[in-house]
Amino acid sequence: MSHVLDKFQFCPVCGSNHFEINNIKSKKCKDCGFSYYLNPSSATVALILNSKEELLAVRRKKDPAKGALDLPGGFVDMDETGEEGMAREVKEETGLDATEVKYQFSYPNLYLYSGFMVHTLDMFYEVKVKDDTHIEAMDDAEESFWIPLSRLNPDEFAFDSIRKGLHRYLETKLG
């Protein structure tokens, strides 16, 4: 897998081909001095628990990790708070309306997209929804379903950050 900075061959300011690696997260133009820093993309992860102590999970419809277990979530759009992005992603993937979105913790992650690894910061939110009885699988979700916390196995989920987040969440919920 190539590093995303390898895709940038020319300085976006002056067009020079002396746009060179400065360090693992930046490139710098030797001609005009412009520096570009690659920072992680903001992403959200929903922890939606129903009254039966079941967590809402989805099965991924698309790559990366097509067919694997995941939690509802996705990338935060520009001009959107993490909470707004979380509520939007929950609606897009499950049809559920978020009534409360509360930040819990975050983990860095790597996400394969268009042939290169995207660094993300996955922000986990506890999400309360208006009506958890009518969920739909939409957008990036092939199916949506509830898993009892007592039977939840984080190691069955795609992505390192999701597995770490689920282990942490279960420690707080189950002790």
Side-chain angles (χ1 to χ4, degrees):
M1 251 0 93
S2 69
H3 193 287
V4 70
L5 286 177
D6 294 339
K7 304 286 185 195
F8 298 94
Q9 298 299 315
F10 300 96
C11 176
V13 174
C14 73
S16 168
N17 64 348
H18 298 122
F19 195 48
E20 299 174 3
I21 296 290
N22 188 41
N23 57 38
I24 191 142
K25 64 180 183 175
S26 70
K27 285 188 105 170
K28 185 170 185 168
C29 180
K30 292 212 176 210
D31 291 335
C32 75
F34 173 75
S35 292
Y36 175 78
Y37 284 87
L38 180 67
N39 294 308
S41 294
S42 299
T44 60
V45 181
L47 299 163
I48 303 172
L49 195 64
N50 68 14
S51 61
K52 299 176 191 171
E53 293 293 299
E54 298 169 322
L55 189 69
L56 184 60
V58 297
R59 189 164 308 281
R60 295 183 59 82
K61 186 190 291 185
K62 302 174 184 174
D63 278 324
K66 180 180 178 178
L69 292 180
D70 201 357
L71 296 175
F75 290 100
V76 177
D77 289 342
M78 288 187 276
D79 297 326
E80 192 174 54
T81 66
E83 291 81 2
E84 290 167 341
M86 182 77 275
R88 176 186 47 75
E89 286 289 344
V90 166
K91 181 72 171 176
E92 287 177 1
E93 291 187 3
T94 68
L96 297 172
D97 292 310
T99 58
E100 186 179 330
V101 178
K102 187 176 177 187
Y103 176 78
Q104 300 298 301
F105 51 83
S106 64
Y107 283 104
N109 194 36
L110 288 171
Y111 187 84
L112 181 64
Y113 185 80
S114 294
F116 59 88
M117 297 306 279
V118 176
H119 290 260
T120 65
L121 180 61
D122 293 352
M123 300 174 290
F124 288 72
Y125 291 89
E126 201 165 59
V127 179
K128 296 198 183 317
V129 294
K130 193 181 294 184
D131 177 10
D132 62 18
T133 60
H134 296 92
I135 56 172
E136 297 179 53
M138 304 180 331
D139 195 34
D140 295 335
E142 183 177 309
E143 71 178 306
S144 300
F145 49 91
W146 298 100
I147 301 176
L149 287 183
S150 61
R151 291 192 303 170
L152 188 68
N153 181 356
D155 298 327
E156 294 177 349
F157 283 74
F159 310 115
D160 188 50
S161 62
I162 301 296
R163 291 187 293 273
K164 286 179 182 175
L166 284 172
H167 279 292
R168 183 171 177 175
Y169 184 68
L170 287 175
E171 284 177 17
T172 63
K173 291 295 181 186
L174 301 177

